[in-house]
Structure formats: structure tokens, C-alpha cells
């Protein structure tokens, strides 16, 4: 199931953290990978290291033309996309009463517009190629639970569940599956940045943020790892039928159980 030889995968936000780990795992499993990121130089450098024909793409997922161009280049150089991982994301920590409208819109644009634009482009290529496909949206435990100071993030991550379920229904006739991975906290730059930010908002130590906020509701007080999420993304990419579609998989040390 984890053999991706002959497959083409496009991963957004793949120059860092979770996206990078997934792209590397796909390349190691034999896929030709397009490493897409707004940080173009880092994407290019990451693709060079991954090998197996990987290419770096300069892509701001909120920009329709950049998304379309990136998918067109991928099709030209690697072939039509079989696997999309819509993963690019940021975090902004602020109480609703202090949140700037521009920050609300930026969060929704990256997480929601980005998922829509990349899913639409991937689906078009998948339908034209007639080989089915796997669309994976990067949700979060925050697709199912809320936390203080993360209103646009929680709203967007909940929204991805609805998008994936709709993609699953519309894609089924063409054997296109759509699922959401919902990680717990993984120690990436996105999380490292918010530990001091949350400590400030809550008036507690950074150690308490980790122990009593981030990992409080897990079954064992452990962070989820990059490997945990890469393994899940490999499983979803390689799954062979429409039996597993429209779902969200929580990989969070039991932070939330559904
Ligand atoms: P990260 O900061 O390590 O990586 C995010 C990447 O996205 C960066 O390379 C960044 O340049 C890129 N990016 C940002 N804006 C972009 C844009 N407009 N277009 C294209 N690329 C853009 O973060 P991460 O922790 O690896 O997060 C990846 C995804 O996983 C996000 O969607 C995040 O919400 C989700 N997630 C992370 C955690 C966690 O604990 N780290 C938990 C649950 C979900």
C-alpha cells in the first residue's frame, strides 16, 4: 500500500514541518513530488535533497494564478497529479476582541481558499487523466475542538471537514477520494512560535503552555511526531478504494476521540 512508484504528488507548505516530512516520505516511497511553498528558495532546496525527480514550486496558495501555474508546470514536468496534500498553513494567536479583520481574512485565505484552489486544480487533472486520486487536506485536532485565541484557525479547520466531504461526494465517480488528517501538536516552527505567544496571553510559563494547554487532554502527555503524520499521509495516499473517503483521521495521542 505504501508503494507510490509511478505516482505524482503535489504537497503545499512543503518547505517546512509537516508538509516537508510528507513530501520526503512520498519521494522515498517512489513518488515524483512537487514541493510547493511560498518560500520558493526553501522549496527548491528541499526538492533537490528529496531527489527522485522532485521539483520545487513557488506557490502562494491564496493566489489563483500561482496555483494554476504550479499545477500546469507539475503536469508538464512530472505528469498529472495523483495525490494532493493541501497543507500550507499559519497560526495567529489573539482573542476575538483584539483580532484584526485583516488577520481573520488572511487565515481563511491560506487555509480555506488554498484548500479550494489546490483541490480544484488537482481534481481537474485527476479527472482528465482518468486514474483516480487522493486529496488530503491538513486539518487539525482543531477541526473538532476549539481553543481560546485561535478563532480563525478553528473556524477554517472545521470548514475543511465540509470541503473534504463535498469533494468525496463529487469525486467518487472518478475514484477521487478526499480525507482530512487532524494532527495534535507537532513541534514544528508553527508550534514553537506560539508557545511564547500563548504564555503571554495566558500569563503562564512556557512549560505550563506545553504541559497544561497543548498536551493536557492527550492520553499520555506526548507530542505527535512528523513521522506519525507522514505515515498517515502515506496510508491515505496509497489506499486503494472509495471505502475510505470523506473522513477525518485524528492523530493526536487521544486529545480528541470521535
Ligand atoms: P510550518 O510553519 O513548519 O510549515 C508551514 C509551511 O507553509 C511553511 O513552509 C510556509 O512557508 C508555508 N506557507 C505559509 N503560507 C503559505 C502560502 N500562502 N502558500 C504556500 N505556502 C505557505 O507549519 P506546520 O506545523 O508544518 O503546519 C503545516 C500544516 O499542519 C498547517 O496547515 C497547520 O495548520 C497544520 N497543523 C499543524 C500542527 C502542529 O502542531 N504543527 C497541528 C495540526 C495541524
Amino acid at each position: 500500500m505504501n508503494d507510490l512508484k509511478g505516482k505524482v504528488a503535489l504537497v503545499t507548505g512543503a518547505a517546512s514541518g509537516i508538509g516537508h516530512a510528507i513530501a520526503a516520505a512520498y519521494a522515498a516511497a517512489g513518488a515524483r513530488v512537487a514541493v510547493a511553498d511560498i518560500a520558493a528558495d526553501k522549496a527548491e532546496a528541499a526538492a533537490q535533497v528529496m531527489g527522485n525527480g522532485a521539483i520545487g514550486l513557488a506557490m502562494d496558495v491564496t493566489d489563483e494564478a500561482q496555483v494554476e501555474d504550479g499545477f500546469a508546470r507539475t503536469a508538464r514536468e512530472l505528469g498529472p497529479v495523483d495525490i494532493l496534500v493541501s497543507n500550507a498553513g499559519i497560526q495567529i494567536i489573539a482573542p476575538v476582541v483584539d483580532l484584526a479583520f485583516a488577520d481573520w481574512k488572511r487565515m481563511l485565505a491560506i487555509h480555506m481558499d488554498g484548500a479550494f484552489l489546490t483541490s480544484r486544480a488537482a481534481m481537474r487533472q485527476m479527472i482528465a487523466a482518468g486514474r483516480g486520486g487522493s486529496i488530503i487536506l491538513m486539518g487539525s485536532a482543531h477541526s473538532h475542538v476549539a481553543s481560546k485565541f485561535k478563532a480563525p484557525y478553528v473556524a477554517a479547520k472545521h470548514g475543511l471537514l465540509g470541503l473534504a466531504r463535498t469533494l468525496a461526494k463529487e469525486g467518487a465517480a472518478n475514484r477521487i477520494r478526499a480525507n482530512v488528517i487532524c494532527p495534535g501538536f507537532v513541534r514544528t516552527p508553527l508550534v514553537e512560535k506560539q508557545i511564547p505567544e500563548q504564555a503571554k496571553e495566558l500569563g503562564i510559563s512556557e512549560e505550563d503552555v506545553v504541559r497544561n494547554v497543548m498536551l493536557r487532554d492527550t492520553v499520555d502527555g506526548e507530542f505527535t511526531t512528523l513521522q506519525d503524520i507522514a505515515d498517515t499521509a502515506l496510508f491515505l495516499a496509497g489506499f486503494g478504494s472509495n471505502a475510505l473517503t470523506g473522513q477525518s483521521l485524528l492523530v493526536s495521542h487521544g486529545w480528541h476521540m470521535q
Side-chain angles (χ1 to χ4, degrees), residues 12-19 36-39 42 59-62 86-90 110-111 138-141 153 157 181-191 226:
T12 70
S16 173
I18 290 172
D37 206 290
I38 196 168
K42 280 178 74 183
M59 183 190 288
D60 176 348
V61 296
T62 68
S86 169
N87 164 82
I90 63 164
I110 294 174
H111 291 273
M138 194 54 62
S140 164
Y153 187 84
K157 292 301 192 189
I181 299 178
C182 298
F185 281 101
V186 183
R187 289 203 90 137
T188 65
L190 180 143
V191 163
L226 292 173

Side-chain angles (χ1 to χ4, degrees), residues 218-237:
T218 61
V219 293
D220 53 10
E222 298 277 341
F223 276 99
T224 300
T225 65
L226 292 173
Q227 187 69 50
D228 295 326
I229 305 305
D231 287 348
T232 309
L234 269 173
F235 168 71
L236 284 175

Side-chain angles (χ1 to χ4, degrees), residues 4-246:
L4 299 182
K5 274 194 201 70
K7 303 281 188 197
V8 174
L10 189 150
V11 184
T12 70
S16 173
I18 290 172
H20 181 267
I22 292 172
Y26 283 175
R32 294 190 302 280
V33 181
V35 178
D37 206 290
I38 196 168
D41 292 351
K42 280 178 74 183
E44 188 58 50
Q48 298 283 327
V49 175
M50 277 169 213
N52 201 35
I55 58 171
L57 293 178
M59 183 190 288
D60 176 348
V61 296
T62 68
D63 184 312
E64 184 176 15
Q66 287 188 32
V67 171
E68 290 295 317
D69 287 352
F71 272 83
R73 187 179 150 210
T74 303
R76 267 195 321 274
E77 296 184 21
L78 304 182
V81 168
D82 300 290
I83 302 155
L84 163 69
V85 183
S86 169
N87 164 82
I90 63 164
Q91 180 60 280
I92 295 173
I93 303 290
V96 168
V97 290
D98 294 336
L99 186 67
F101 189 31
D103 284 342
W104 167 268
K105 285 199 274 200
R106 188 156 70 97
M107 286 291 285
L108 263 59
I110 294 174
H111 291 273
M112 294 293 297
D113 298 2
F116 160 67
L117 289 171
T118 55
S119 296
R120 186 181 67 177
M123 257 181 130
R124 286 174 175 166
Q125 290 193 2
M126 288 169 182
I127 291 168
R131 302 196 302 232
S134 178
I135 294 175
I136 299 168
L137 307 182
M138 194 54 62
S140 164
H142 283 112
S143 298
H144 296 273
V145 299
S147 293
K148 287 178 179 174
F149 314 137
K150 296 186 175 179
Y153 187 84
V154 170
K157 292 301 192 189
H158 274 67
L160 292 179
L161 300 179
L163 176 61
R165 290 169 185 155
T166 308
L167 294 172
K169 291 201 172 199
E170 293 188 10
N174 290 287
R175 292 181 299 115
I176 298 167
R177 296 171 297 105
N179 293 289
V180 186
I181 299 178
C182 298
F185 281 101
V186 183
R187 289 203 90 137
T188 65
L190 180 143
V191 163
E192 297 297 347
K193 181 172 170 288
Q194 67 180 276
I195 294 172
E197 291 173 351
Q198 290 225 45
K200 194 165 158 236
E201 286 292 347
L202 292 164
I204 59 177
S205 71
E206 293 189 17
E207 198 176 66
D208 281 344
V209 169
V210 170
R211 201 177 35 230
N212 299 328
V213 178
M214 291 183 164
L215 303 180
R216 186 192 59 207
D217 294 327
T218 61
V219 293
D220 53 10
E222 298 277 341
F223 276 99
T224 300
T225 65
L226 292 173
Q227 187 69 50
D228 295 326
I229 305 305
D231 287 348
T232 309
L234 269 173
F235 168 71
L236 284 175
F239 197 86
S241 80
N242 278 347
L244 183 50
T245 195

